[in-house]
Amino acid sequence: MKDFPAVFPRILGHEAIGVVESVGENVDGVVEGDVVIPHFLADCTECVGCRSKKGNLCSAFPFKISPWMPRDQTSRFKDLRGETIHHFVSVSSFSEYTVLDIAHVVKVDPTVPPNRACLLSCGVSTGVGAAWRTANVEVGSTVVIFGLGSIGLAVAEGARLCGATRIIGVDVISEKFEIGKRFGVTEFVNSKNCGDKSVSQIIIDMTDGGADYCFECVGLASLVQEAYACCRKGWGKTIVLGVDQPGSQLSLSSFEVLHSGKILMGSLFGGLKAKSDIPILLKRYMDKELELDKFVTHEMKFEEINSAFDLLIKGKCLRCVIWMGE
């Protein structure tokens, strides 16, 4: 993006864990010294959206790619010349210090290892939550995951926890299957090797009519359509997690929508309410149910962050934890 809200300079980063250094006026829920996880999706606990059990979208502080604090649309960051440095999705975690609104922070158990707890700030929570909260995957279900990056693998982990019997991964890199097996993936389709059939037709044939749940974790409208096409008629759900280009459009047959009885829905932050659901997931990790360790392939110092991005771009890491200090 070249135009607003793509502004510069800005402190990026939105997955983290930290310690409360100080607390402003009228802030309840955390005190100095508390261990907290920031989250980009607000959870004010008070508005209609946050009180409802039907969703996780805060109506008081709707999600925006905003360069400001959510309440007063100002920045808390300045450079040495006194000029404004902008925020990023209410977190800005690539910094030793940041400033968060209380609606974007949850207090957590300080005994959880920080290099694992930080994973639940966004990515792993989003994937696991999409299977657990958004889709509500049942025991014995068949699940298809389009894209086996970190988000897709987190969906597989969530589906495994929910008791799915078949977890089919779809990707263009065959080596992803071996990685996926560690997260519960049972079968694999390389979408480049489908011959004269579409990937959705391959899935329909494999599942004798379609999957119970399909998750799109790449961010391509064409894959959303493929996922919708291969979820089972009558009750199949297609969950969209991938972030597509602004302005991308879906094209679905109105006749098919009516007669197929399927569900197509988005899942922002995996349908989780951060203040209540992140502590649940952390407990499941400590109880050795949720497996977070396998997501972390590298750990580096803050000064090595560019090397971490190189690993990410080359597809050589899942999650690289950045340590700010000892």
Side-chain angles (χ1 to χ4, degrees):
M1 297 172 67
K2 296 181 179 179
D3 301 315
F4 187 86
V7 293
F8 181 85
R10 173 179 239 159
I11 300 174
L12 298 173
H14 75 288
E15 294 180 290
I17 188 170
V19 177
V20 176
E21 183 268 345
S22 58
V23 178
E25 295 181 9
N26 303 315
V27 173
D28 296 318
V30 298
V31 297
E32 182 180 331
D34 281 346
V35 176
V36 295
I37 289 178
H39 43 90
F40 76 93
L41 196 65
D43 185 2
C44 76
T45 73
E46 298 175 351
C47 70
V48 172
C50 290
R51 291 200 312 269
S52 173
K53 295 181 180 179
K54 298 177 181 179
N56 70 329
L57 301 183
C58 179
S59 50
F61 305 108
F63 173 68
K64 294 183 287 188
I65 310 292
S66 172
W68 313 117
M69 291 290 285
R71 292 177 196 261
D72 59 11
Q73 307 302 300
T74 63
S75 174
R76 296 295 188 274
F77 303 130
K78 303 285 184 183
D79 65 15
L80 291 175
R81 294 168 295 185
E83 296 180 5
T84 296
I85 301 175
H86 299 90
H87 292 250
F88 180 65
V89 294
S90 302
V91 178
S92 293
S93 57
F94 291 158
S95 170
E96 292 90 344
Y97 290 84
T98 189
V99 183
L100 304 172
D101 189 285
I102 190 61
H104 290 271
V105 64
V106 54
K107 180 180 176 180
V108 298
D109 180 355
T111 66
V112 181
N115 58 343
R116 299 297 182 262
C118 63
L119 301 179
L120 296 180
S121 185
C122 181
V124 175
S125 288
T126 295
V128 172
W132 171 41
R133 287 296 195 206
T134 304
N136 192 22
V137 171
E138 304 106 337
V139 173
S141 299
T142 295
V143 169
V144 177
I145 302 166
F146 288 79
L148 292 182
S150 291
I151 301 296
L153 293 173
V155 172
E157 176 69 7
R160 181 191 68 79
L161 284 172
C162 292
T165 302
R166 299 178 69 184
I167 303 175
I168 304 170
V170 179
D171 206 288
V172 296
I173 302 174
S174 295
E175 290 76 13
K176 294 283 187 76
F177 186 26
E178 288 304 314
I179 299 171
K181 287 178 181 177
R182 304 204 305 266
F183 297 83
V185 175
T186 59
E187 297 153 79
F188 182 81
V189 175
N190 187 322
S191 55
K192 283 186 174 180
N193 301 331
C194 293
D196 57 358
K197 289 186 177 182
S198 64
V199 66
S200 57
Q201 188 58 57
I202 296 286
I203 297 295
I204 290 170
D205 292 345
M206 289 175 65
T207 56
D208 192 25
D212 300 306
Y213 302 97
C214 291
F215 297 85
E216 197 281 338
C217 305
V218 177
L220 287 174
S222 59
L223 282 184
V224 174
Q225 290 170 201
E226 286 290 288
Y228 183 76
C230 66
C231 69
R232 187 172 292 273
K233 291 184 177 181
W235 64 76
K237 283 185 183 180
T238 296
I239 316 295
V240 180
L241 291 87
V243 181
D244 205 343
Q245 294 292 326
S248 294
Q249 299 289 315
L250 283 174
S251 179
L252 298 173
S253 161
S254 178
F255 183 89
E256 175 72 11
V257 170
L258 172 62
H259 289 83
S260 68
K262 303 175 182 181
I263 295 171
L264 173 63
M265 61 192 304
S267 180
L268 200 57
F269 195 51
L272 300 180
K273 292 182 180 293
K275 285 181 165 51
S276 55
D277 286 332
I278 287 179
I280 291 173
L281 291 177
L282 285 172
K283 185 177 186 304
R284 296 193 75 176
Y285 167 68
M286 296 297 280
D287 290 342
K288 302 187 184 305
E289 297 174 15
L290 174 62
E291 299 176 9
L292 295 178
D293 297 356
K294 58 194 177 185
F295 284 95
V296 179
T297 54
H298 298 78
E299 300 194 27
M300 295 184 175
K301 297 178 181 179
F302 188 37
E303 293 80 4
E304 301 173 300
I305 191 168
N306 287 335
S307 297
F309 272 108
D310 289 339
L311 288 170
L312 189 68
I313 292 167
K314 293 174 182 176
K316 293 184 177 180
C317 78
L318 293 179
R319 277 291 179 265
C320 179
V321 174
I322 301 294
W323 289 90
M324 290 295 172
E326 297 299 328

